[in-house]
Amino acid sequence: MQAIVFDSPGRLATREMPEPSLLHASDAIVDIQLAAIGGTDRHFIDDPHAGLTPGTIVGREAVGLVRETGRDVRNLSGGDRVVICPAIACGNCVYCRAGYHAQCNATDAGRQASGPALFGAPETLGGLPGLCAERARVPYAHTTLVRLPDEISNAEAVMLADIWSSAWFTAHLAEIRQGDTVAVFGCGPLGQATVACALLRGASRVFAVDRHEDRLARARALGAEVIHSGEESPVAVLRDLTDGIGVDRAIDAAGSDLSATAGSDTQQTACPDGSAEQPRQSVQLWAMDALAKAGTLALTGLWSGPGASVPIALAVARNLTIRAGFCHYRIYLPKVIELCLAGRIDVSAIPLHTEPMANAAEAYQQLDQHQRPWSKLAFQPAPTEQPAARTDTTSNTNTKADADAAAESAQLDDALEDSFPASDPPSIARPGDH
C-alpha cells in the first residue's frame, strides 16, 4: 500500500509499505479516505531530537471505512464510516474509566509512567504507525473509533478529530467561565479553534497573540482581539487593555515559542555545547506574566527544544493555577461532533488544503516553510476498493431532522457538560472536576 513516511528531519516521502493486518482481537483495519498532518506531527517530523524513526508512517488524524474487525470489536461492522481518535485507549483500565483516556495504561505493558500512545509517534509515545496511508490498523477499535453521522463530511471529520477536539478540551482545561477574559498564545489551527471554543464557553473577551498576519486575520474573524507579537510586547498590551489587571485565563496553544523582536519578555537559552542562542520569547513566561492574580494557565500541545519554562515563584506569589494535559479524544471528539451538527461551531472557519498522497514531500515543504497560505494540510489516498456494506439492519446514523431537534432541545446543553461513569475510582480526580 502507499503511505507517507518520515524520511529525515523536516522531510517526508511517499513509499510502498506492507499492508496492515489484525494483530489482536480488539483491532480493526480501516480504509483511509482522508488523513491530515497536525502540529504534533510537525514537532515529530521537524525536531531532530524527537526520536521519530525514519520510515515511520506519519499522521494522527484520519477518517475512513471499516474494512475488517477482530472478534472483540462488537460495536462496529464492515462499511461503517469512522473517525479515528489520535490517541488510543482501551476503555478498561483505571485511567480510562476515570476519563483520562490519554493516559491509558493498557496500550503497552510498560506505559504506567508514560504519556499518551499516539499514531505516528516516536517509541516514547507508543511507536505506532501513523494514519497517512491507504489502510491502517487501529488498536482497541471499540474506543479508538467513533462512528460518523452522514451529515459530517470527511473534511469536517478530519478537523474535528484533533483540532476541534483539542480546542474544546483546552477551553475546559483553562477553566473558562461566563464573563472571563482569555488570552490565547499561538494562532495556528489549534489556537484559532481555541478562540472559537473560548467564546462558545462564555468568555467576554478573547485576545489572540501571534506573529503571522494571516493567522491573526483568521483569529480576528472568529471574534478575537489580536496582538502582533513581532511588533509589540504581548504582556504590556494585555495589561494595558485590561486596566492593569491581566487576563483571567491564559492558554499556550503554540507548543513552543513565538519569535518576535528581543525585549524585556525574552530569555537567554543555552545550546548543548554551552554556547548561547539568540534571545527567544518564552510563551509560558508571557502567559503567566499576563495573568491576573488567581488566574489559570493552560498548557497543551507538544513542546520541543529548549525554552519551555514555567516560573514557579511567580505562580506561588500570584496564587496562579497551572493545568496541563493531552486531549482525552474519546470524550471530547463526540462532543464536538454534536456541536458541529447543532451549528454551534463552524469547522470550515479553519481552511483545509488537500493534496494527493503522492505529493506529500513537496506539499509538506511548502507548508513547513510558509510558502503557501495553508492553515491545515490533508492527504487523500488513491481510490481503493470499498469493503462490502454491513448487513445488519440497525443504524445509528443521525438524520438532519434529528440534529435540528437536538439543537433546539435542552438536552444539547446537558450534552456539552462533561460526564463520566458512575464507577470512577474515588481516589482519582476526574478531568471535569474544578
Side-chain angles (χ1 to χ4, degrees):
M1 70 170 182
Q2 195 177 58
I4 301 171
V5 302
F6 170 68
D7 184 60
S8 60
R11 295 188 177 276
L12 300 178
T14 305
R15 296 179 184 166
E16 286 295 320
M17 299 294 287
E19 290 278 351
S21 59
L22 298 176
L23 300 181
H24 305 287
S26 58
D27 289 350
I29 303 298
V30 176
D31 285 328
I32 303 298
Q33 295 181 318
L34 190 66
I37 295 289
T40 299
D41 301 297
R42 293 179 66 183
H43 281 298
F44 297 151
I45 295 165
D46 292 344
D47 183 1
H49 305 294
L52 194 61
T53 304
T56 300
I57 300 174
V58 299
R60 303 181 310 119
E61 307 153 49
V63 58
L65 299 177
V66 174
R67 170 176 286 265
E68 184 181 6
T69 63
R71 66 177 181 274
D72 289 349
V73 181
R74 296 168 181 257
N75 58 340
L76 297 165
S77 302
D80 282 341
R81 192 168 69 101
V82 294
V83 60
I84 304 173
C85 293
I88 66 172
C90 72
N92 285 327
C93 71
V94 63
Y95 288 101
C96 284
R97 293 189 181 200
Y100 286 91
H101 292 81
Q103 302 302 325
C104 176
N105 260 354
T107 53
D108 185 23
R111 296 196 63 81
Q112 282 75 8
S114 301
L118 308 176
F119 290 99
E123 288 293 332
T124 54
L125 292 171
L128 293 167
L131 304 177
C132 287
E134 292 183 281
R135 278 166 290 285
R137 180 181 74 90
V138 178
Y140 299 108
H142 52 278
T143 50
T144 308
L145 296 179
V146 177
R147 188 185 289 112
L148 283 168
D150 292 340
E151 293 83 0
I152 301 292
S153 69
N154 285 349
E156 289 173 327
V158 162
M159 297 296 284
L160 292 169
D162 184 24
I163 293 302
W164 287 95
S165 296
S166 295
W168 190 247
F169 164 76
T170 300
H172 176 266
L173 190 71
E175 303 179 307
I176 296 173
R177 297 182 175 91
Q178 295 283 339
D180 279 348
T181 298
V182 180
V184 178
F185 290 85
C187 295
L190 174 60
Q192 294 168 38
T194 301
V195 165
C197 290
L199 291 168
L200 185 58
R201 285 182 67 94
S204 61
R205 300 182 75 183
V206 177
F207 300 96
V209 182
D210 205 285
R211 64 187 178 93
H212 295 289
E213 291 284 0
D214 59 332
R215 292 180 173 185
L216 290 172
R218 292 192 186 102
R220 184 187 291 112
L222 288 165
E225 302 173 54
V226 301
I227 300 171
H228 195 306
S229 61
E231 299 177 352
E232 51 194 350
S233 165
V235 175
V237 173
L238 286 167
R239 288 281 172 188
D240 181 61
L241 293 175
T242 58
D243 294 332
I245 298 172
V247 296
D248 302 303
R249 319 293 171 195
I251 295 169
D252 171 15
S256 56
D257 61 53
L258 299 172
S259 299
T261 54
S264 61
D265 295 339
T266 62
Q267 65 178 20
Q268 193 82 8
T269 57
C271 297
D273 62 4
S275 62
E277 287 186 345
Q278 293 297 316
R280 63 189 294 168
Q281 303 293 350
S282 168
V283 170
Q284 298 79 38
L285 181 58
W286 273 348
M288 292 188 70
D289 207 18
L291 276 170
K293 292 183 288 188
T296 301
L297 170 65
L299 302 174
T300 187
L302 197 68
W303 292 352
S304 65
S309 62
V310 176
I312 299 300
L314 180 62
V316 174
R318 293 189 186 171
N319 282 81
L320 302 180
T321 298
I322 301 173
R323 305 190 78 206
F326 210 88
C327 180
H328 307 296
Y329 294 102
R330 193 57 183 84
I331 294 175
Y332 289 91
L333 180 49
K335 290 181 184 294
V336 294
I337 289 174
E338 290 296 325
L339 288 169
C340 182
L341 287 170
R344 301 287 291 275
I345 59 175
D346 179 11
V347 179
S348 65
I350 302 173
L352 178 70
H353 178 79
T354 302
E355 289 277 335
M357 194 173 289
N359 295 355
E362 180 182 359
Y364 186 77
Q365 288 293 304
Q366 293 173 339
L367 173 72
D368 208 35
Q369 298 172 14
H370 299 280
Q371 296 174 356
R372 294 286 188 273
W374 299 338
S375 196
K376 185 80 171 171
L377 179 60
F379 299 102
Q380 192 162 21
T384 185
E385 180 183 352
Q386 303 299 342
R390 55 182 179 177
T391 57
D392 62 287
T393 58
T394 303
S395 174
N396 290 328
T397 302
N398 294 337
T399 65
K400 186 66 170 63
D402 292 336
D404 291 340
E408 296 172 359
S409 70
Q411 293 179 351
L412 175 63
D413 288 334
D414 293 338
L416 298 181
E417 299 297 327
D418 292 328
S419 59
F420 297 89
S423 59
D424 288 347
S427 61
I428 296 181
R430 298 175 294 179
D433 292 342
H434 297 303

